[in-house]
Amino acid sequence: MLMLRPKMKALEEAREKLAATRENFAQACKETVSQVDVITIEAALTAWRKAAEAFTDEARSVYDDASASFDARSETWQDSEKGLAFANWRDALEQLADFDSDPTDEVRIGIDLFGETMVAELQSHPNEVLPDLPDMPELEE
């Protein structure tokens, strides 16, 4: 048992050194992340929000015109198969006008410890967060 004490002391010292180097590593990571140019990211986010706002404005404009066109038609047409298809399309446009301008992507910035490079990637494909446009039905009576 007496021979184990020096070994335990050496193990404790090795653990303390491991803890200190782990803290140094964590601090180095914090310093690296603090140097990331967030101005570029903020500018891209602002551009995304402006484009999303323009998209919803266009969707609202098309919805308003579609509603006016629908309302101007006869009740017979509105109740017809084409009228109901048009109403469904108009309702889909209204949903587009409520498109959320905040990006829902999760961004991960990783550091490749072996290659010492930083990589930023979106967790989803850009097309997965964009709304689908509904097909416009025929308008003829």
Side-chain angles (χ1 to χ4, degrees), residues 1-61:
M1 284 277 253
L2 293 175
M3 292 184 57
L4 288 176
R5 286 183 201 251
K7 289 194 177 230
M8 278 304 293
K9 177 80 171 150
L11 181 59
E12 288 172 4
E13 290 172 359
R15 188 187 182 290
E16 287 174 11
K17 185 174 182 179
L18 180 62
T21 57
R22 170 65 172 86
E23 183 58 36
N24 290 341
F25 175 75
Q27 187 60 37
C29 288
K30 286 179 185 177
E31 289 173 13
T32 298
V33 170
S34 71
Q35 295 173 18
V36 172
D37 180 13
V38 294
I39 293 172
T40 303
I41 295 169
E42 288 172 346
L45 181 58
T46 298
W48 161 268
R49 287 185 172 137
K50 285 181 181 178
E53 185 178 325
F55 174 82
T56 57
D57 288 348
E58 287 298 325
R60 174 63 56 192
S61 176

Side-chain angles (χ1 to χ4, degrees), residues 101-120:
S101 64
D102 286 329
T104 56
D105 294 308
E106 183 174 323
V107 178
R108 294 185 182 259
I109 299 176
I111 301 171
D112 179 354
L113 296 176
F114 298 105
E116 298 179 9
T117 59
M118 287 189 20
V119 177

